[in-house]
Amino acid sequence: KKKLKISGRDLASVPVQVFSLDQLQVLEMSPERESCLRYRMELLPPEISRLRNLTCLYVDSNNLKKIPAEIGTLSHLERLTLSNNSLSSLPPEMGALQRLHSLHLANNSLTELPAPLCQLRSLTFLDVSDNKIGTIPSSIRHLEKLETLLLLFNSLESLPEDVCLLRNLHTLWLGNNHLRSLPASFGELVNLDWGCNYCSCNFEGNPLERPPPEVCSRGPEEIRDYFLSFHRT
């Protein structure tokens, strides 16, 4: 089999027989769409490294507290979902997942954006909403292919100018943080799909002063002109 979904009431561990399926490509152990089930896995075992052909690994909504370093050996992994767990950190070995293009980390206990994530050059989707992240490292500029970055419900007080180098961004959600200002070059993110009421940037829930919300709502050109006016004066 190349695709396997494991389900069962109160699932607490990965059945050992799974690790003999060396041709497995998709492994799903998430009760996301089955509300009657409650999964309780606290640890993804290091034997996960035996599944060298995995391209998708879904372990949302468990009780994971740690991801083993062996995750870095899954060189074919393209999609990894870890939302709704109890993760406070990620192993540096995750930086080796150079085919990973979609990573879901929403609703965990992360306090910072782990440095290894900024080494994932193929990443196009990153969701770290609803954590406790307070800063974004400048190394985020290395995520050149990133198209979607979701940062809602964190503790961000500022954004580094390096975020504005992510010129392929189409969606950037910043709602419900502590942002009082945006980087001066924020208006350079011209590929953002602003749509109606700046929904693709979602500034709501921030005490923005510079530029004020009414300027942000008009799109990148107005933001760029706003900051240019400071240079003229």
Side-chain angles (χ1 to χ4, degrees):
K1 289 186 176 181
K2 294 189 176 182
K3 183 176 181 179
L4 177 64
K5 178 175 180 178
I6 300 176
S7 62
R9 188 174 298 277
D10 298 325
L11 181 70
S13 62
V14 185
V16 294
Q17 297 92 333
V18 171
F19 302 121
S20 64
L21 303 175
D22 56 3
Q23 296 303 308
L24 198 62
Q25 294 179 351
V26 179
L27 177 57
E28 183 174 347
M29 297 179 289
S30 171
E32 282 288 274
R33 290 170 292 279
E34 300 181 57
S35 57
C36 62
L37 300 179
R38 297 176 63 188
Y39 294 0
R40 302 173 183 274
M41 281 195 298
E42 294 187 2
L43 178 66
L44 195 62
E47 288 81 5
I48 195 73
S49 63
R50 297 180 188 173
L51 305 179
R52 294 295 178 91
N53 289 298
L54 272 188
T55 59
C56 300
L57 178 58
Y58 302 93
V59 278
D60 300 279
S61 301
N62 278 273
N63 193 28
L64 292 175
K65 295 179 169 59
K66 185 178 180 181
I67 302 299
E70 287 78 4
I71 194 81
T73 65
L74 302 179
S75 58
H76 295 283
L77 203 61
E78 298 176 359
R79 184 176 176 87
L80 177 59
T81 65
L82 296 167
S83 297
N84 306 318
N85 280 288
S86 302
L87 298 171
S88 58
S89 63
L90 297 173
E93 288 80 4
M94 280 189 65
L97 301 177
Q98 289 304 310
R99 294 192 185 184
L100 197 68
H101 60 72
S102 181
L103 179 57
H104 298 238
L105 291 165
N107 193 24
N108 276 282
S109 300
L110 299 173
T111 57
E112 60 182 1
L113 195 62
L117 301 192
C118 298
Q119 301 172 23
L120 302 176
R121 303 300 175 87
S122 295
L123 209 60
T124 61
F125 182 98
L126 176 58
D127 182 2
V128 288
S129 303
D130 205 3
N131 280 279
K132 301 173 184 176
I133 295 173
T135 58
I136 302 296
S138 61
S139 53
I140 197 171
R141 65 184 182 277
H142 297 310
L143 300 181
E144 300 169 355
K145 296 183 180 180
L146 199 62
E147 296 179 0
T148 299
L149 177 57
L150 307 184
L151 293 162
L152 297 86
F153 292 97
N154 277 291
S155 302
L156 294 173
E157 296 185 356
S158 64
L159 287 178
E161 287 279 349
D162 300 83
V163 169
C164 304
L165 298 175
L166 302 176
R167 299 300 167 82
N168 286 310
L169 274 183
H170 287 82
T171 303
L172 174 60
W173 287 2
L174 297 165
N176 293 91
N177 278 281
H178 307 307
L179 297 173
R180 293 189 177 277
S181 64
L182 298 178
S185 53
F186 193 90
E188 301 300 323
L189 295 174
V190 294
N191 287 320
L192 285 179
D193 180 17
W194 288 76
C196 299
N197 298 321
Y198 55 92
C199 60
S200 75
C201 287
N202 195 330
F203 295 115
E204 294 178 357
N206 285 287
L208 272 178
E209 299 173 355
R210 189 171 179 263
E214 60 270 18
V215 173
C216 293
S217 67
R218 300 175 196 146
E221 290 186 3
E222 290 288 339
I223 291 178
R224 190 163 53 240
D225 290 345
Y226 173 87
F227 283 111
L228 284 174
S229 67
F230 281 94
H231 293 296
R232 297 191 193 106
T233 57

